[in-house]
Amino acid sequence: DAGVIQSPRHEVTEMGQEVTLRCKPISGHNSLFWYRQTMMRGLELLIYFNNNVPIDDSGMPEDRFSAKMPNASFSTLKIQPSEPRDSAVYFCASSLTGNSNQPQHFGDGTRLSIL
Amino acid sequence: GQQVMQIPQYQHVQEGEDFTTYCNSSTTLSNIQWYKQRPGGHPVFLIQLVKSGEVKKQKRLTFQFGEAKKNSSLHITATQTTDVGTYFCAGKKDTGRRALTFGSGTRLQVQP
């Protein structure tokens, strides 16, 4: 079975550029989560969706960050304009339902470097 | 906001030694999950605890949920090099935010 699929795996770009990260959740999973991982701040939840609807975006750092889920099989996280402090590994995860007692399945992540 | 702290941040053990990581919350948790992340990899779900005082075992790993449901521990008996990685707990508050909050993680290094 295919797991959570993220693209690209690596992205290196210059500050000021728009960055788009993509995620395909596991088929049949109704909840999708975007996380950011850094050495300093650990694993932070940015936003999560339930049935394609954003439920909690309180973790989104600022207006430069936006996330969409146009359908059940696709989500994007955009950073515009990007800054060097956005450099991190961004994970997408999905779970069967939005209930917190469901395990989350993580993708391989996107390693983002902003120069 | 909810704080989920883990100690220690880092531990280096000799292969065959035991290892324990502790997870502490400032508030009561409705459930707690544990994940393992190998170096360069992504977090992988290990187990979930729901009941007060619950203890679960997976081979050499023992997971415990505190009586007050504010803390949890993961104990590895006789570590192996395959245990290397970062172990995260993730908890859900009884009230408030619906999503899990991940702890800061404990990085385990095992010396062969």
Side-chain angles (χ1 to χ4, degrees):
Chain A
D1 285 343
V4 175
I5 299 172
Q6 290 187 246
S7 65
R9 289 295 308 277
H10 304 272
E11 174 100 7
V12 181
T13 192
E14 292 187 343
M15 65 178 292
Q17 297 296 308
E18 178 179 291
V19 172
T20 300
L21 311 181
R22 296 172 175 81
C23 177
K24 178 178 167 54
I26 293 173
S27 177
H29 280 195
N30 292 326
S31 292
L32 183 141
F33 307 81
W34 282 102
Y35 291 90
R36 178 173 66 178
Q37 187 174 41
T38 60
M39 287 293 292
M40 291 298 295
R41 300 175 69 89
L43 196 60
E44 302 174 277
L45 176 65
L46 301 177
I47 186 171
Y48 81 94
F49 296 84
N50 201 36
N51 293 320
N52 313 339
V53 176
I55 302 300
D56 184 349
D57 65 354
S58 59
M60 295 286 261
E62 47 198 275
D63 291 345
R64 297 185 297 106
F65 285 68
S66 63
K68 292 183 180 178
M69 191 163 186
N71 56 63
S73 59
F74 183 65
S75 177
T76 58
L77 178 67
K78 280 191 182 179
I79 309 173
Q80 168 63 20
S82 57
E83 297 182 4
R85 61 191 167 120
D86 302 330
S87 299
V89 180
Y90 290 81
F91 287 106
C92 175
S94 71
S95 65
L96 196 58
T97 71
N99 195 319
S100 66
N101 66 11
Q102 292 291 322
Q104 294 185 17
H105 301 261
F106 284 74
D108 288 335
T110 295
R111 187 171 296 274
L112 178 63
S113 295
I114 308 297
L115 307 177
Chain B
Q2 178 184 359
Q3 296 288 322
V4 179
M5 307 301 295
Q6 276 186 259
I7 54 171
Q9 279 191 309
Y10 171 76
Q11 186 143 16
H12 188 144
V13 300
Q14 292 288 321
E15 190 171 22
E17 291 181 339
D18 292 356
F19 160 77
T20 305
T21 173
Y22 300 90
C23 180
N24 297 294
S25 170
S26 54
T27 57
T28 303
L29 302 170
S30 59
N31 61 295
I32 195 152
Q33 297 180 356
W34 284 91
Y35 291 77
K36 176 184 177 182
Q37 183 177 19
R38 288 202 160 96
H42 58 269
V44 175
F45 174 79
L46 294 176
I47 208 160
Q48 174 168 265
L49 305 168
V50 178
K51 298 176 185 174
S52 167
E54 188 170 14
V55 178
K56 286 188 177 179
K57 292 192 175 187
Q58 285 181 351
K59 298 183 181 177
R60 294 177 296 103
L61 277 60
T62 302
F63 304 83
Q64 191 162 4
F65 203 4
E67 293 290 341
K69 299 183 77 174
K70 286 187 175 183
N71 55 72
S72 181
S73 64
L74 158 58
H75 180 82
I76 303 178
T77 304
T79 54
Q80 300 175 359
T81 54
T82 52
D83 295 326
V84 164
T86 300
Y87 293 85
F88 293 95
C89 63
K92 158 71 173 68
K93 278 174 63 174
D94 271 346
T95 59
R97 196 183 204 197
R98 291 162 59 177
L100 293 171
T101 298
F102 276 77
S104 45
T106 296
R107 187 158 69 95
L108 172 64
Q109 184 64 36
V110 180
Q111 184 76 32

